[in-house]
Amino acid sequence: MKKFWNNDDELFAAAKKELFTAVVGDAMDKMMLLHQFLPPKIQPLKDEMFLIGRAMPVLEADTFEELSHGSNNPLMSKPFGLMLEALDDLKKNEVYICSGASPNYALVGELMMTRAKMLGAAGAVANGYSRDTFGMLELDFPIFSYGNYAQDQGPRGKVIDFRVPIEMDGVRINPGDIIVGDVDGVCVVPQEQEEEVFLRAFEKARGEKTVLKAIQEGMSAVDAWNKYQIM
């Protein structure tokens, strides 16, 4: 298969029509990219949500009061640290993806995600909880988190940097990597290998339709594997 997209808009539109995280992950397995899935507790706010976009990583850290005046770090006397600046820096098709904090409070909420959607962002992934659930559902904006929990980050955490590498359970996320998420989880496609990953993923997704039809028509699993090498 040859590359058939010219830009992110075309790739992401095709992916939304044909792909799902399982085939993207399978493609990376074949390339020996074996640790690209984020923790399974990170799930969509709604099962039907599909996310694809480029990572805009956000680094969060725990704090223990909202404002710490006299600190050696000026961010400690700034509400939310750099969170507002990170939100305003989002570009079209980017994913606000946040990690670094303990799972004791919500990392994303309705007002934040309203701003992200207005800027054309693709969605958000939190290595922690989300809140304002009814408002977020009305946004119809792809949000992935541990689930719903109202406790606020205000006095408990601050964004200390953004557009820097972050990790989630050993999975590294660099700025510009492609994030793909659905009801089966979230995976990270390294920017350096993205073309091969997606070519393999589209090929497998199309091949699986052929195999599915053959099995539905009565072909055995053994014969299907021997003929198509897809399962």
Side-chain angles (χ1 to χ4, degrees):
M1 181 183 290
K2 293 182 179 179
K3 180 180 174 182
F4 58 87
W5 62 90
N6 298 306
N7 52 50
D8 283 357
D9 285 339
E10 292 181 5
L11 170 60
F12 297 163
K16 287 174 183 177
K17 289 179 181 177
E18 296 190 54
L19 299 185
F20 42 98
T21 54
V23 290
V24 177
D26 290 353
M28 289 192 284
D29 282 348
K30 292 295 186 183
M31 296 168 62
M32 299 307 294
L33 298 168
L34 302 177
H35 304 287
Q36 299 304 124
F37 271 91
L38 301 184
K41 55 193 168 187
I42 297 177
Q43 290 288 312
L45 199 61
K46 186 166 61 174
D47 286 351
E48 295 78 15
M49 288 177 170
F50 182 84
L51 171 66
I52 183 166
R54 293 201 178 270
M56 199 285 270
V58 177
L59 182 61
E60 182 106 5
D62 290 348
T63 57
F64 302 95
E65 57 185 353
E66 189 161 13
L67 301 173
S68 297
H69 298 294
S71 168
N72 293 312
N73 183 345
L75 286 181
M76 296 300 287
S77 60
K78 182 176 170 59
F80 304 111
L82 296 173
M83 186 190 79
L84 305 177
E85 288 82 355
L87 281 170
D88 284 342
D89 197 53
L90 279 166
K91 308 294 190 296
K92 180 184 176 184
N93 290 330
E94 288 190 330
V95 176
Y96 183 97
I97 182 165
C98 183
S99 190
S102 60
N104 296 327
Y105 48 90
L107 295 173
V108 294
E110 181 184 9
L111 296 180
M112 294 173 64
M113 294 299 96
T114 299
R115 176 59 174 157
K117 185 174 181 179
M118 291 292 293
L119 291 170
V125 178
N127 195 15
Y129 292 95
S130 59
R131 66 183 217 156
D132 309 322
T133 304
F134 290 125
M136 298 256 267
L137 287 169
E138 286 184 11
L139 273 179
D140 195 27
F141 188 61
I143 309 293
F144 289 69
S145 72
Y146 291 4
N148 313 322
Y149 185 43
Q151 187 154 263
D152 189 26
Q153 67 180 298
R156 300 176 181 89
K158 294 183 187 296
V159 171
I160 59 173
D161 210 348
F162 57 95
R163 296 197 184 279
V164 294
I166 60 173
E167 286 192 358
M168 296 188 190
D169 285 12
V171 180
R172 185 178 178 90
I173 302 125
N174 290 308
D177 288 346
I178 294 181
I179 309 299
V180 184
D182 62 18
V183 70
D184 288 329
V186 181
C187 62
V188 181
V189 179
Q191 189 170 11
E192 295 78 9
Q193 289 117 327
E194 66 184 45
E195 183 174 329
E196 182 178 354
V197 170
F198 282 102
L199 286 173
R200 286 175 176 266
F202 281 112
E203 186 172 34
K204 186 164 195 277
R206 294 170 188 181
E208 283 190 359
K209 291 181 180 179
T210 301
V211 177
L212 178 62
K213 187 172 187 297
I215 292 173
Q216 288 172 336
E217 291 174 351
M219 182 178 282
S220 72
V222 170
D223 288 343
W225 174 257
N226 289 337
K227 182 172 182 179
Y228 300 107
Q229 296 290 295
I230 293 175
M231 187 59 61

